[in-house]
Structures are given as structure tokens and as C-alpha cells.
Amino acid sequence: MLETPRLMLRRWREEDVAPMAAVNADPEVMRWIRDGRVLDEQRTRARVEEWENEWEAQGFGLFAVELRSTGELAGFTGLSVPGFLPEILPAVEVGWRLGRSHWGQGLATEAAAAAVRFGFEERGLERIVSIAQVGNDASERIMTKLGMRLFRETVAPTGGRRIRVFEMSSDQYVAATR
């Protein structure tokens, strides 16, 4: 569990499935995710189970992001292996997805910064990447705020959409946090 001024990043609970399914059912939220298709509660439940399994297998994964002030689930942030993009492997990706009512408040940046810190300081990662579809300017702004730099532009093998990969090394992280 990680805490930031406004957020608690924690492992998933059964009661998180329905609010995360609501996030995943919003076409505007899912616009930049894979092929843009929304996910129903059943698919969301399967994803949450996959995310929890990643924690067990890798020692890192996607955190449920909870607002400390209300206990409301805002979405997720965390670390995962971007297996869909073999050309950049080995790599660990920081990602996030928040419900639309939580956009524009700096919450994604706050949550992702905590996940990056966890990856470098607690898990000893050497490099963290982040991936966004070309045109997803909001996510690219977050990547830049995190101190990441554009590494490459390519095409996602699934769906054929153009994507940009940003990265940060552990050395760059240390230099930025001094």
C-alpha cells in the first residue's frame, strides 16, 4: 500500500470490481485504450484477477487508486510488463486509468509518480516506460511531468494504432529526485 497526499494505492478488493467496471464502461475513458472497446463487469472482473496474479508472480502490479477523503475508487495506476509490444522488452510500464470525474485534478500524475517511485526505490527497476496512442496528449503530458522522455514511435501490433513509448532510467530518476 502506498499513500500520497490525496490517494491510497492498494491491492484490489471484491468491492472494487463494480466501480472499476463503471470506469471501463465509459467510451471516453476507453477511447485511447487498445481498440477503444469498453469492458463490461465480467471482463473487468477477469482483468482485476489478472492484475492480482501479476502481483503474485512479479512482485509488482496495478494498484487500485482510492481517494483518501472519501474512500471512492478512482481507477488504477501501477506497473506491468507490456507484453503486447515485444520490440521494447524487457520493460516495465507505468500506466493509469481514472474515471472521467477524476480527470483534470492532477490525480493521475500523483498516482503514477508514486508507482514510479515504488518501481525504482522498492523494486529496484532499471527502466520504466509508458506507452500512449498518438493523439493522447493528456497521457503524454503526464509522462513528461513524471520526467520521462520520448524513446520511440511505433505501431501497436494489436490494432495497428500509432503509439509513442516514453522512458526513464533509474539514473535519470535519481538525478531528478535529488
Side-chain angles (χ1 to χ4, degrees):
M1 183 170 60
L2 306 176
E3 290 189 23
T4 71
R6 298 180 291 170
L7 305 170
M8 182 173 304
L9 282 58
R10 57 167 175 76
R11 299 283 294 269
W12 293 88
R13 302 175 186 148
E14 173 62 29
E15 60 266 23
D16 296 328
V17 173
M20 192 67 222
V23 172
N24 288 338
D26 183 337
E28 190 60 27
V29 170
M30 299 303 287
R31 176 181 177 199
W32 301 108
I33 309 299
R34 297 185 182 138
D35 63 3
R37 277 189 253 166
V38 298
L39 302 176
D40 62 15
E41 189 164 332
Q42 181 180 3
R43 285 196 170 109
T44 298
R45 180 178 305 283
R47 293 280 165 80
V48 168
E49 289 172 11
E50 290 171 17
W51 300 336
E52 276 298 297
N53 290 337
E54 287 175 2
W55 273 103
E56 300 305 320
Q58 301 171 147
F60 58 80
L62 298 178
F63 293 99
V65 174
E66 179 182 305
L67 298 178
R68 291 178 61 184
S69 61
T70 64
E72 177 186 0
L73 182 81
F76 73 70
T77 191
L79 304 170
S80 62
V81 175
F84 73 94
L85 193 58
E87 70 187 72
I88 66 165
L89 296 178
V92 174
E93 176 187 13
V94 62
W96 50 86
R97 183 180 311 157
L98 300 182
R100 206 176 340 166
S101 64
H102 304 293
W103 292 0
Q105 302 168 46
L107 296 175
T109 303
E110 184 175 326
V116 167
R117 186 170 44 256
F118 173 77
F120 285 129
E121 295 181 9
E122 302 295 324
R123 293 300 179 251
L125 298 176
E126 292 296 318
R127 173 177 168 249
I128 296 177
V129 301
S130 196
I131 303 165
Q133 290 183 21
V134 172
N136 187 349
D137 297 334
S139 282
E140 287 193 20
R141 278 191 299 277
I142 293 168
M143 294 170 195
T144 302
K145 288 178 188 176
L146 294 173
M148 298 184 135
R149 297 183 184 135
L150 181 63
F151 170 59
R152 78 168 57 172
E153 187 170 315
T154 189
V155 175
T158 54
R161 292 185 174 191
R162 296 215 51 83
I163 55 176
R164 291 191 178 126
V165 181
F166 285 68
E167 70 175 354
M168 174 185 275
S169 70
S170 59
D171 290 342
Q172 290 167 329
Y173 172 79
V174 168
T177 56
R178 284 190 178 157

